[in-house]
Amino acid sequence: MHVLRFALIGGLVALVYFLLYLGFLQLGMARGFANGLAFLLAICLQYVGQAGFTFGKRLDDPQQVLRFVVMVGLGFVASGLITGVIGPALGIADWVAAATVTVVLPVQNYILMTIWVFAKQQHTKGNLS
């Protein structure tokens, strides 16, 4: 069930990013700013959706948020390595490298979310369970 929820949120986040980016461009924003803002808003939606809907976790855990941010950073590094280092070194076409990223990152993120980002038990005041 987690995988289906994860995929649903992931698809929704991708669609929201796509629509926000294009919408920001229509408002006259520069490409870099439009991309950054759309990406930031999509990542916030991803955190809320994956934490609350997919994994049933509270949203207000600072350590969990930090782990999520690190996971996003690792995704950025992985995509950069695939498209900027590994792909060119192997003579792989840009579109193949980009397609590889679209397969690798969701798998990487699902694994990291399952075993690390959202795996830690929540402790509240007066409740150590």
Side-chain angles (χ1 to χ4, degrees):
M1 187 58 131
H2 275 175
V3 173
L4 294 176
R5 289 179 178 215
F6 177 83
L8 178 65
I9 295 298
L12 177 64
V13 168
L15 177 62
V16 166
Y17 164 80
F18 179 78
L19 294 174
L20 285 173
Y21 176 68
L22 294 178
F24 291 153
L25 290 178
Q26 287 298 311
L27 292 174
M29 288 184 187
R31 282 185 177 93
F33 188 73
N35 176 60
L37 185 56
F39 181 80
L40 178 63
L41 293 172
I43 290 298
C44 291
L45 175 63
Q46 181 183 26
Y47 177 75
V48 170
Q50 299 295 12
F53 180 68
T54 303
F55 293 94
K57 299 292 185 177
R58 294 180 52 170
L59 303 178
D60 61 350
D61 179 348
Q63 293 299 315
Q64 180 176 280
V65 172
L66 179 60
R67 290 189 301 270
F68 182 82
V69 169
V70 169
M71 180 202 72
V72 170
L74 290 172
F76 180 74
V77 169
S79 68
L81 286 172
I82 292 167
T83 60
V85 178
I86 297 169
L90 296 176
I92 295 172
D94 289 337
W95 74 267
V96 174
T100 302
V101 169
T102 66
V103 172
V104 169
L105 286 191
V107 172
Q108 174 182 305
N109 285 350
Y110 182 76
I111 291 168
L112 288 174
M113 284 183 201
T114 301
I115 66 171
W116 184 54
V117 175
F118 299 119
K120 185 177 176 186
Q121 291 293 331
Q122 300 294 323
H123 296 292
T124 57
K125 282 187 176 180
N127 180 11
L128 298 177
S129 58

